[in-house]
């Protein structure tokens, strides 16, 4: 007869332990962060039509640096213009260019501040591509080879939704010496017109061969390049 209270106490103790373990596991679960509303992005070619898949990222800013590491300025989604002077460049491929129509390439260090606003629609294959274009059509340039270019190697961009990361790389543009009427000055010959991020797998799914690069990109910022002495 005394065995029943003992068994009952054992069951009660076991139940309390199991409940404690369950609560402990629940306490340590990390809730999934939903996609941001702004990830429901529109086509670059038609702002009234949503893209087939959410956009993964927002490029908060591109920060350009001069040859001494000082900030030249930022390009943001709401402020596209940047003045990249010849004297501020970290490298000028034609430093002796002084005559009309002479051309050179100017290089600058750049840091992109990137925020993840959605989970990937497809896992990347080689990684995310940081890309730029100098095409006059900007984000409406085509995915045809030669209209945009990858910066370096693909990167992982392992950022949680809501998190940010910074990536540093180099961008360049072509200048040409022109007669402005008040003297000879460098002008953007093939200036930077956009910077983009591709998920290589999603971009392939979206690419109509060709498509506008802005339509297949996970994020982009438009750039208006001004040159100067």
């Amino acid at each position: 007869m005394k065995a029943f209270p003992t068994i009952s106490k054992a069951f009660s103790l076991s139940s309390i332990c199991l409940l404690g373990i369950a609560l402990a596991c629940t306490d340590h679960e990390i809730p999934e962060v939903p996609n941001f509303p702004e990830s429901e992005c529109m086509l670059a070619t038609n702002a009234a039509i949503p893209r087939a898949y959410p956009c993964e990222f927002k490029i908060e800013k591109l920060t350009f640096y001069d040859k001494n590491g000082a900030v030249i300025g930022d390009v943001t989604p709401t402020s596209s213009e940047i003045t990249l002077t010849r004297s501020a460049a970290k490298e000028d491929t034609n430093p002796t260019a002084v005559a009309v129509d002479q051309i050179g390439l100017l290089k600058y260090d750049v840091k992109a501040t990137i925020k993840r606003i959605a989970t990937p629609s497809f896992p990347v294959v080689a990684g995310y591509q940081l890309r730029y274009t100098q095409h006059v059509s900007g984000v409406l340039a085509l995915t045809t080879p030669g209209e945009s270019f990858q910066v370096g190697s693909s990167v992982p961009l392992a950022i949680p939704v809501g998190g940010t990361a910074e990536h540093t790389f180099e961008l360049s543009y072509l200048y040409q010496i022109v007669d402005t009427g008040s003297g000879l000055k460098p002008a953007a010959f093939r200036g930077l017109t956009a910077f983009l991020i591709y998920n290589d797998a999603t971009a392939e799914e979206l690419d109509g061969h060709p498509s506008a690069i802005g339509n297949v990109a996970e994020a982009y910022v438009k750039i208006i390049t001004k040159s100067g002495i």
Side-chain angles (χ1 to χ4, degrees):
M1 295 295 291
K2 290 181 180 179
F4 291 105
T6 303
I7 293 170
S8 177
K9 288 178 181 178
F11 276 124
S12 298
L13 184 58
S14 298
S15 298
I16 292 169
C17 288
L18 289 171
L19 179 60
I21 291 169
L23 289 172
C25 291
T26 302
D27 288 345
H28 286 83
E29 286 180 0
I30 300 173
E32 184 177 341
V33 178
N35 292 349
F36 283 51
E38 62 188 309
S39 67
E40 299 301 321
C41 52
M42 301 298 173
L43 294 177
T45 50
N46 190 332
I49 300 177
R51 203 176 79 139
Y53 304 108
C55 287
E56 292 184 45
F57 301 105
K58 176 183 179 181
I59 301 168
E60 297 193 318
K61 61 179 178 178
L62 295 180
T63 304
F64 286 78
Y65 295 88
D66 71 10
K67 59 190 174 187
N68 298 314
V71 173
I72 296 172
D74 295 329
V75 168
T76 70
T78 58
S79 180
S80 301
E81 188 171 308
I82 186 82
T83 299
L84 301 173
T85 64
R86 193 178 177 190
S87 59
K90 65 179 287 186
E91 184 180 341
D92 181 350
T93 61
N94 192 7
T96 60
V98 292
V100 171
D101 293 337
Q102 285 189 303
I103 293 172
L105 183 78
L106 300 178
K107 299 180 182 180
Y108 304 82
D109 285 328
V110 183
K111 181 173 68 181
T113 303
I114 303 163
K115 179 178 181 179
R116 179 175 284 281
I117 56 176
T119 55
S121 297
F122 299 91
V124 292
V125 180
Y128 291 95
Q129 298 177 9
L130 306 182
R131 303 185 69 86
Y132 71 94
T133 183
Q134 299 170 335
H135 198 281
V136 293
S137 299
V139 297
L140 300 182
L142 299 179
T143 50
T144 304
E147 295 203 12
S148 70
F149 306 92
Q150 183 172 353
V151 180
S153 302
S154 297
V155 295
L157 290 183
I159 315 167
V161 174
T164 60
E166 295 177 338
H167 279 271
T168 302
F169 45 90
E170 185 181 271
L171 289 177
S172 59
Y173 80 94
L174 287 169
Y175 71 90
Q176 183 178 36
I177 303 298
V178 298
D179 187 348
T180 64
S182 59
L184 300 183
K185 295 179 181 179
F189 177 62
R190 288 194 64 186
L192 298 164
T193 56
F195 175 81
L196 313 91
I197 301 173
Y198 279 19
N199 172 323
D200 57 0
T202 306
E204 182 59 31
E205 286 288 330
L206 292 171
D207 195 351
H209 300 289
S211 292
I213 57 176
N215 286 353
V216 306
E218 299 303 316
Y220 63 75
V221 287
K222 298 176 182 179
I223 307 174
I224 299 172
T225 308
K226 300 292 184 181
S227 191
I229 299 171

